[in-house]
Amino acid sequence: MEILFSKSRSLNYLLQSSRTCWHHYRNKSAAIFIIPRRFESIKAGEQLDVYNYKEDYHDGHDEHQTLNFPGGKVPITSQMRFISESSEKRLPCYRVLDDDGYLIPGTIFELVSKGLALNMYSTMVTLQTMDTIFYEAQRQGRLSFYLTSTGEEAINIASAAALTPDDIVLPQYREPGVLLWRGFTLQEFADQLFGNKADYGKGRQMPIHYGSNKLNYFTVSSPLTTQLPQAAGVAYSLKMDKKEACVVVYFGDGSTSEGDFHAGLNFAAVMEAPVIFLCRNNGWAISTPVTEQFRSDGIAIKGQAYGIRSIRVDGNDALAVYSATRAARQMAIKERRPILVEAMTYRVSHHSTSDDSTKYRCVKEIEQWRTAKSPITRFRKWIQRNGWWADKNETELRENSRKQIVEAIQAAEKVEKPPLTDLFSDVYDKMPSNLQEQERFIRDTIKRYPREYPFDVPQ
């Protein structure tokens, strides 16, 4: 098994230039295939080998005849052939651990220490427990809304572990694990969900719209895919400032149908911005399956059209996600280029608490992914075989996590809500007339219908 970035420089370059420790696990029957890098720069003028004419346009093609168009020289052929809408083979998916948690012979991956592995696993379990309890709290009527990351814990935690605190994160809404890894406390999560006075957003955002300036984590925004062009711009600013950091922007397969996907990737490619576009291809855009979302071979293949190096990785394999993200980060920073990572996974949960996914997909399929293909179970098997984990550790971890989360909820419920005036502050130095009118309208409505106004929100 190879770690393969589509049409990229040989990994030999990466291995030689990297100071990180790469572990090459091989046996006699395994083979490693390295794909050479396609070109030295992603600048359009240097993309001379834009298509494999030797294979597809051999007859009637003169290698010495070219046309010099704006953007580069183009080979000439006498054969009228259209590029196929799809290749004969699908892009491979990089994997390190099989479903039973065994290392796949011949796999190249980043060596993970015992301490890092246990930290990753503990955080994955905490995220899973947090999702379960907060989801139950919403069903009890204590929260207005919630959305889980069930089945996608490895993407959250493993990718976050591969970054540094200086790297900037622009999330979608299914990446609370990235924030958890960076140090956002369970109490901070609970305060945001309950919209109390301790919430950094002062209760003005929907639940799960987390953000932390201190942790370089942009606040979640509801509009789909807006974070992609924003991420390209943030990454370009890092490049201008010569920062040794990159941007990582998360999104789902459904986001690739939005125009901002094109805008973000194209801008990043042209400006050579150090940004990792990390797509969680979980099979569903709410109720729309990927078969109705696009006709391409997933997401990674799209990168080539933009001149962006890309890779497809098993999103339920923590070691694979960690290794691919580490490699992507190094290339993004050292070579000042965007990278597209497609993490293949499955959305085990409903889209949100407003959704019932059993209306459009099979319950048996969901349960299979929840149990047999769980990323947490797979990673646990690996650390147990290494002698780093035992059943006793598991019991203690889950009990402590549950206790801390319940306590955080109880504390958040007791904190006073932000005052009504906070709805209109922090935007303008002097409140404009239209907002003054809105505030008067709200206060007049409260006077007319006092029983309809929440008693725990100060006026």
Side-chain angles (χ1 to χ4, degrees):
M1 175 62 71
E2 69 273 18
I3 178 169
L4 182 147
F5 281 83
S6 177
K7 299 299 183 182
S8 69
R9 172 182 305 177
S10 169
L11 265 183
N12 290 331
Y13 169 82
L14 180 61
L15 295 172
Q16 292 168 6
S17 62
S18 172
R19 293 184 178 181
T20 59
C21 178
W22 283 78
H23 177 64
H24 187 180
Y25 181 86
R26 65 167 84 220
N27 66 8
K28 294 182 179 179
S29 62
I32 305 297
F33 297 95
I34 303 297
I35 304 299
R37 183 177 177 183
R38 190 179 183 189
F39 38 78
E40 291 298 315
S41 170
I42 64 173
K43 293 180 180 178
E46 298 181 14
Q47 294 183 9
L48 300 183
D49 183 18
V50 294
Y51 198 78
N52 193 339
Y53 280 87
K54 289 185 178 180
E55 293 182 3
D56 298 301
Y57 282 70
H58 180 73
D59 294 333
H61 166 52
D62 188 342
E63 295 181 0
H64 301 290
Q65 293 188 20
T66 60
L67 288 176
N68 193 4
F69 285 103
K73 294 181 179 180
V74 180
I76 296 174
T77 179
S78 60
Q79 301 298 307
M80 186 179 70
R81 294 184 183 177
F82 291 85
I83 298 174
S84 175
E85 70 280 4
S86 61
S87 60
E88 294 181 359
K89 297 181 179 180
R90 297 198 65 183
L91 286 177
C93 185
Y94 169 58
R95 204 181 201 196
V96 176
L97 298 175
D98 64 19
D99 288 339
D100 292 321
Y102 286 99
L103 288 172
I104 298 174
T107 301
I108 297 175
F109 68 102
E110 181 94 10
L111 185 64
V112 176
S113 67
K114 175 182 178 181
L116 177 58
L118 294 183
N119 194 6
M120 288 170 61
Y121 180 73
S122 298
T123 311
M124 287 168 67
V125 171
T126 302
L127 174 60
Q128 183 187 57
T129 307
M130 184 177 81
D131 275 345
T132 300
I133 295 176
F134 284 145
Y135 186 90
E136 292 172 351
Q138 193 281 333
R139 287 299 189 239
Q140 294 168 359
R142 299 161 81 178
L143 294 176
S144 61
F145 178 83
Y146 194 70
L147 184 152
T148 77
S149 305
T150 308
E152 301 177 37
E153 295 89 353
I155 297 175
N156 271 242
I157 306 306
S159 64
L163 306 175
T164 71
D166 292 331
D167 297 324
I168 299 175
V169 175
L170 279 80
Q172 188 178 20
Y173 42 60
R174 217 176 292 276
E175 291 82 29
V178 178
L179 196 52
L180 182 65
W181 177 267
R182 292 198 158 199
F184 209 67
T185 66
L186 296 174
Q187 191 60 61
E188 287 175 307
F189 279 110
D191 289 337
Q192 196 285 325
L193 292 171
F194 282 91
N196 61 34
K197 208 168 185 178
D199 170 29
Y200 301 132
K202 299 185 178 182
R204 293 176 293 201
Q205 280 272 28
M206 283 180 62
I208 65 93
H209 286 56
Y210 314 108
S212 173
N213 184 49
K214 179 178 69 174
L215 300 176
N216 280 331
Y217 189 97
F218 274 51
T219 301
V220 174
S221 57
S222 289
L224 200 64
T225 327
T226 54
Q227 72 274 21
L228 267 68
Q230 293 167 2
V234 174
Y236 187 55
S237 72
L238 292 179
K239 177 182 177 180
M240 292 177 67
D241 293 338
K242 295 180 171 57
K243 299 287 188 181
E244 285 294 311
C246 71
V247 171
V248 181
V249 56
Y250 295 85
F251 56 101
D253 48 275
S255 294
T256 65
S257 293
E258 295 287 336
D260 279 345
F261 173 79
H262 162 76
L265 268 68
N266 193 56
F267 183 87
V270 172
M271 305 307 294
E272 298 182 321
V275 53
I276 300 173
F277 293 98
L278 206 161
C279 177
R280 298 173 289 93
N281 187 347
N282 61 24
W284 295 91
I286 307 184
S287 59
T288 304
V290 291
T291 53
E292 298 177 16
Q293 194 73 236
F294 43 72
R295 284 292 177 267
S296 61
D297 175 17
I299 312 302
I301 194 68
K302 297 176 186 285
Q304 190 175 23
Y306 293 99
I308 294 180
R309 190 177 299 171
S310 57
I311 188 172
R312 172 175 285 167
V313 60
D314 183 350
N316 285 21
D317 181 349
L319 290 183
V321 173
Y322 176 76
S323 298
T325 307
R326 287 274 290 185
R329 180 184 182 275
Q330 178 169 339
M331 287 185 283
I333 294 175
K334 298 301 180 183
E335 301 178 33
R336 297 299 179 189
R337 63 163 64 247
I339 304 291
L340 174 59
V341 178
E342 178 186 17
M344 306 295 288
T345 184
Y346 186 85
R347 196 196 75 210
V348 172
S349 63
H350 303 302
H351 172 73
S352 70
T353 51
S354 303
D355 173 48
D356 179 5
S357 63
T358 62
K359 300 295 184 181
Y360 52 81
R361 58 181 184 171
C362 178
V363 174
K364 184 178 179 181
E365 176 184 282
I366 298 173
E367 287 306 310
Q368 181 186 16
W369 282 91
R370 185 190 302 276
T371 55
K373 298 187 178 183
S374 166
I376 295 179
T377 301
R378 189 193 304 188
F379 197 57
R380 178 186 175 183
K381 290 178 179 178
W382 182 70
I383 60 175
Q384 281 184 317
R385 289 196 183 94
N386 289 336
W388 298 344
W389 198 251
D391 292 343
K392 179 182 178 182
N393 304 122
E394 187 76 17
T395 301
E396 291 177 355
L397 172 62
R398 291 189 177 275
E399 287 180 353
N400 290 337
S401 295
R402 184 172 184 84
K403 179 182 178 182
Q404 293 174 29
I405 295 166
V406 170
E407 290 175 350
I409 290 177
Q410 294 172 343
E413 287 181 312
K414 296 177 182 178
V415 178
E416 186 181 40
K417 301 294 185 183
L420 180 63
T421 53
D422 280 359
L423 277 175
F424 306 96
S425 62
D426 300 332
V427 178
Y428 298 97
D429 179 47
K430 184 178 179 181
M431 191 186 303
S433 59
N434 63 317
L435 287 186
Q436 292 177 13
E437 182 181 352
Q438 289 180 32
E439 184 177 9
R440 285 194 299 269
F441 176 80
I442 290 177
R443 294 191 180 281
D444 290 343
T445 303
I446 293 173
K447 290 179 181 179
R448 292 173 59 188
Y449 308 100
R451 294 182 180 180
E452 302 301 323
Y453 185 78
F455 69 91
D456 57 344
V457 178
Q459 297 186 38

